[in-house]
Structure formats: structure tokens, C-alpha cells
């Protein structure tokens, strides 16, 4: 038993030692070259040494896969033959994929707005509260839960028991029975099921929005708020005329960050419905096409569509940051 275990470990151990020796030799060679180089050459070496590995990893892990995906989006199912824009035509003409795109648009519209508005309201109401930290901790807690974990939790919330003689474990169904309504199988009812899935992501992202916007509110100078109070401004007018304009750039950052996270949503849909019952989104359909049906062309086309949807948001975010720096 011991000899068999050693036979498995020994080759890997030797490989590890050789790797460490090669790494040490490369580092020694770099320092040796640096010591003998002129000051101008040392400056260039510094850029190469510090930026070279990061640039190489960026090339291997991001740029090459992105170019490869774009090329595959113009190829057939197995990536062998060029078929032009057929995959994109399929994506925008197939009724099933149109439902996927429609659901993604609903997610992108509702989730950032709801999460930001609720987070902003909680941040403003707890800003001057005595025990506001407790409330903020509870609201922020879902951020520590993975999307898969949140999906499992909310599946219990939406659970439905068709047999009235058996106990109801779903919170939503219990509430419906409590108010005299007849519960339904919530995750099967379209388009209600899409809204119920969106609630899960809003539940998670509200804590993020609350923390970021609350920090921005703390940076508003007290003199500005006190001047508004001396002028007789009500709480609502101080919020709309003072607070909101002064944290506008932060609101934009929160909205765009949540929008990008929403475009990539996959785990919640996969965990709760598997993309069935008209709840599918682009990220989940891309996974199904590329890794379950092995249709690399159509999966890559959906990935490119997702990428193109994110680019304008990133561009707008960068533009806002530049404008903010210019104003300073």
C-alpha cells in the first residue's frame, strides 16, 4: 500500500521540485540581467518583469478565448465550417430564443432599478438611525450567500404542496392560504415565475447597493445638510434636492454594476427552474448550447450577444467616471 502511494506521489513531487528550481533560475537570471543592465535598460526591464506576466495571463485567459469565441460564432455546430451570420439569425428569429432574450431584458430592467431603489431607501432611512448598523447587517447578509445557496433557500419559499391534507412548507403558499387565496405552483406560472426569480437577485444585490450608497451619503458635508435645514427644507426636499444630486455618480456606478451582474445571471435560474417553464436567460441558454448540446457555434453567438450587451454599460460607466474627475 505504501509503495503504491509513493508511486503516485513521487512523479508529482519531482515535477514540483523541478518547477520550483526553474522558477528560481528564472528569477535569478532576471536579477542578474538587471544588475548588469544600464539605467535605461533597467527601466524597460521593470515594465517587462511586472507587466509581462499579467499581460501574458490576460492574453491566455481573456483575449485569446474572446477571439476564439467570436470566430466560433460564425461557424457551424462543431466549429468546422464557416456559415456566416446564421447563428445570429437563429438567435433573433427562433421563438424559444426570443423568449430567452425577452426574459433577459426583463431581468436587466427590473433588477438594477429595484435593488438600487430599495438599497437607497434603506441607506437613507438608516443613515441617522441609532441602531442602523444592525439593520444594515441583516440587509447585507445575503451578499455572503452564493447564488446557488440563495436559489435553494428561495425554492423552499416558493415550494407548493398540491395535497391540502399535507403540511405546507412554502412560505409564499402559506401566506396565500392565510389571506384566503389559492396557492399555485409558483415556479410553473409564466411570466410570474420570472419575476419571482428576479426577487432572489434583488434580495442579494440590495445589500450591495445599500452599503455603497450609504457610504456615499456619509461623504455629504454636514454644512450642506444643515444649510438646507436652516432654509426650511423638508426631509423629502433634502433627499431629492441635496442627497440625490450629490451621490448621482455613485448611483450610476451601482446601477451599472448590478446591471452587469444581472446580464451574467446563471446560477439562480439553473438552480431553481433549470431554464424551463419560460424562465430561461441568455447565460443559461449559452451554457446549454455550448456544454450540454455541444453546439459551439450557437453557444458562441449567444456569448458574443451577451458581451455586446455589456460593452455599452461599461463604456457609459467609464464616461461617467471621467466626467466626475473632470468636475473635480
Amino acid at each position: 500500500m505504501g509503495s503504491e502511494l509513493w508511486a503516485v506521489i513521487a512523479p508529482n513531487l519531482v515535477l514540483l521540485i523541478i518547477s520550483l528550481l526553474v522558477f528560481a533560475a528564472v528569477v535569478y537570471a532576471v536579477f542578474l540581467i538587471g544588475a548588469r543592465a544600464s539605467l535605461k535598460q533597467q527601466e524597460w526591464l521593470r515594465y517587462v518583469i511586472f507587466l509581462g506576466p499579467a499581460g501574458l495571463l490576460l492574453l491566455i485567459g481573456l483575449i485569446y478565448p474572446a477571439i476564439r469565441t467570436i470566430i466560433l460564432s460564425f461557424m457551424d455546430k462543431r466549429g468546422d465550417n464557416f456559415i456566416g451570420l446564421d447563428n445570429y439569425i437563429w438567435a433573433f428569429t427562433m421563438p424559444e430564443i426570443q423568449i430567452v432574450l425577452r426574459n433577459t431584458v426583463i431581468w436587466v430592467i427590473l433588477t438594477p432599478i429595484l435593488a438600487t431603489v430599495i438599497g437607497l431607501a434603506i441607506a437613507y432611512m438608516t443613515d441617522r438611525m441609532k441602531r442602523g448598523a444592525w439593520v444594515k447587517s441583516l440587509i447585507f447578509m445575503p451578499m455572503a450567500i452564493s447564488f446557488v445557496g440563495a436559489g435553494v433557500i428561495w425554492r423552499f419559499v416558493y415550494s407548493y404542496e398540491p395535497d391540502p391534507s399535507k403540511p405546507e412548507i412554502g412560505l409564499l403558499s402559506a401566506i396565500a392560504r392565510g389571506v384566503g387565496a389559492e396557492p399555485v405552483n409558483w415556479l410553473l406560472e409564466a411570466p410570474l415565475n420570472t419575476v419571482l426569480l428576479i426577487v432572489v437577485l434583488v434580495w442579494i444585490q440590495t445589500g450591495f447597493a445599500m452599503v455603497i450608497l450609504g457610504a456615499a451619503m456619509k461623504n455629504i458635508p454636514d454644512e450642506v445638510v444643515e444649510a438646507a435645514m436652516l432654509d426650511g427644507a423638508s426631509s423629502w426636499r433634502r433627499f431629492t434636492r441635496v442627497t440625490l444630486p450629490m451621490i448621482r455618480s455613485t448611483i450610476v456606478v451601482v446601477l451599472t454594476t448590478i446591471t452587469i451582474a444581472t446580464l451574467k445571471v446563471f446560477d439562480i435560474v439553473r438552480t431553481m427552474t433549470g431554464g424551463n417553464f419560460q424562465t430561461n436567460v441568455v447565460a443559461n441558454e449559452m451554457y446549454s448550447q455550448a456544454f450540454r448540446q455541444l453546439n459551439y457555434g450557437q453557444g458562441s453567438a449567444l456569448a458574443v450577444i451577451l458581451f455586446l450587451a455589456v460593452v455599452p454599460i461599461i463604456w457609459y460607466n467609464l464616461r461617467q467616471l471621467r466626467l466626475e474627475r473632470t468636475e473635480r
Side-chain angles (χ1 to χ4, degrees), residues 263-277:
L263 277 169
K264 297 185 296 182
V265 68
F266 165 79
D267 318 56
I268 293 172
V269 176
R270 195 78 198 168
T271 305
M272 297 186 71
T273 63
N276 299 312
F277 320 121

Side-chain angles (χ1 to χ4, degrees), residues 103-313:
N103 288 341
T104 305
V105 171
I106 294 173
W107 275 82
V108 169
I109 292 173
L110 289 184
T111 307
I113 293 175
L114 290 176
T116 305
V117 169
I118 297 172
L120 178 64
I122 295 171
Y124 187 72
M125 287 188 290
T126 57
D127 187 34
R128 299 181 187 279
M129 188 184 290
K130 282 186 179 178
R131 300 188 182 277
W134 288 95
V135 178
K136 289 180 179 177
S137 300
L138 290 174
I139 301 296
F140 187 73
M141 205 173 288
M143 281 292 291
I145 302 173
S146 68
F147 285 179
V148 174
V152 172
I153 291 171
W154 281 85
R155 278 198 68 167
F156 284 111
V157 174
Y158 298 147
S159 178
Y160 168 70
E161 176 52 61
D163 189 352
S165 62
K166 294 183 178 178
E168 188 72 71
I169 62 170
L171 178 62
L172 190 58
S173 296
I175 292 173
R177 289 189 193 281
V179 297
E182 187 62 30
V184 295
N185 200 338
W186 306 103
L187 294 179
L188 300 185
E189 298 292 326
L192 175 64
N193 46 12
T194 296
V195 177
L196 294 177
L197 296 188
I198 290 172
V199 169
V200 182
L201 189 56
V202 171
W203 178 66
I204 295 173
Q205 295 292 340
T206 296
F208 165 75
M210 177 198 67
V211 169
I212 302 298
L213 296 173
M217 287 180 190
K218 293 286 184 189
N219 287 329
I220 298 176
D222 291 338
E223 296 81 7
V224 177
V225 180
E226 289 168 1
M229 293 174 71
L230 287 174
D231 288 342
S234 62
S235 297
W236 176 249
R237 286 183 70 85
R238 289 201 303 273
F239 176 69
T240 55
R241 300 296 177 88
V242 176
T243 304
L244 282 182
M246 297 199 74
I247 64 170
R248 182 178 58 87
S249 58
T250 309
I251 294 175
V252 171
V253 170
V254 170
L255 276 172
T256 52
T257 304
I258 297 177
T259 303
I260 293 170
T262 305
L263 277 169
K264 297 185 296 182
V265 68
F266 165 79
D267 318 56
I268 293 172
V269 176
R270 195 78 198 168
T271 305
M272 297 186 71
T273 63
N276 299 312
F277 320 121
Q278 299 187 24
T279 59
N280 209 357
V281 291
V282 172
N284 186 59
E285 182 63 23
M286 177 190 69
Y287 169 81
S288 299
Q289 290 291 338
F291 300 107
R292 294 181 69 86
Q293 301 179 29
L294 300 180
N295 192 333
Y296 302 120
Q298 293 177 352
S300 299
L302 291 172
V304 172
I305 292 171
L306 198 59
F307 173 72
L308 293 176
V310 172
V311 168
I313 301 169

Side-chain angles (χ1 to χ4, degrees), residues 74-84:
F74 297 103
M75 309 296 279
D76 64 358
K77 187 174 182 179
R78 298 298 175 198
D80 297 328
N81 303 305
F82 181 78
I83 58 172

Side-chain angles (χ1 to χ4, degrees), residues 21-155:
L21 290 174
V22 170
F23 177 74
V26 170
V27 172
Y28 175 75
V30 167
F31 277 103
L32 189 64
I33 294 170
R36 297 183 178 181
S38 63
L39 288 176
K40 191 174 181 180
Q41 290 172 333
Q42 284 181 0
E43 188 175 349
W44 279 104
L45 273 174
R46 192 164 57 229
Y47 291 125
V48 172
I49 291 170
F50 286 103
L51 295 180
L56 186 63
L57 289 174
L58 192 67
L59 182 68
I60 296 172
L62 184 63
I63 296 175
Y64 172 72
I67 295 173
R68 175 74 174 158
T69 302
I70 292 172
I71 294 172
L72 279 176
S73 69
F74 297 103
M75 309 296 279
D76 64 358
K77 187 174 182 179
R78 298 298 175 198
D80 297 328
N81 303 305
F82 181 78
I83 58 172
L85 295 173
D86 286 1
N87 290 326
Y88 293 96
I89 294 171
W90 163 84
F92 288 104
T93 54
M94 281 290 290
E96 294 83 0
I97 307 304
Q98 287 178 346
I99 292 174
V100 171
L101 296 175
R102 182 205 64 188
N103 288 341
T104 305
V105 171
I106 294 173
W107 275 82
V108 169
I109 292 173
L110 289 184
T111 307
I113 293 175
L114 290 176
T116 305
V117 169
I118 297 172
L120 178 64
I122 295 171
Y124 187 72
M125 287 188 290
T126 57
D127 187 34
R128 299 181 187 279
M129 188 184 290
K130 282 186 179 178
R131 300 188 182 277
W134 288 95
V135 178
K136 289 180 179 177
S137 300
L138 290 174
I139 301 296
F140 187 73
M141 205 173 288
M143 281 292 291
I145 302 173
S146 68
F147 285 179
V148 174
V152 172
I153 291 171
W154 281 85
R155 278 198 68 167

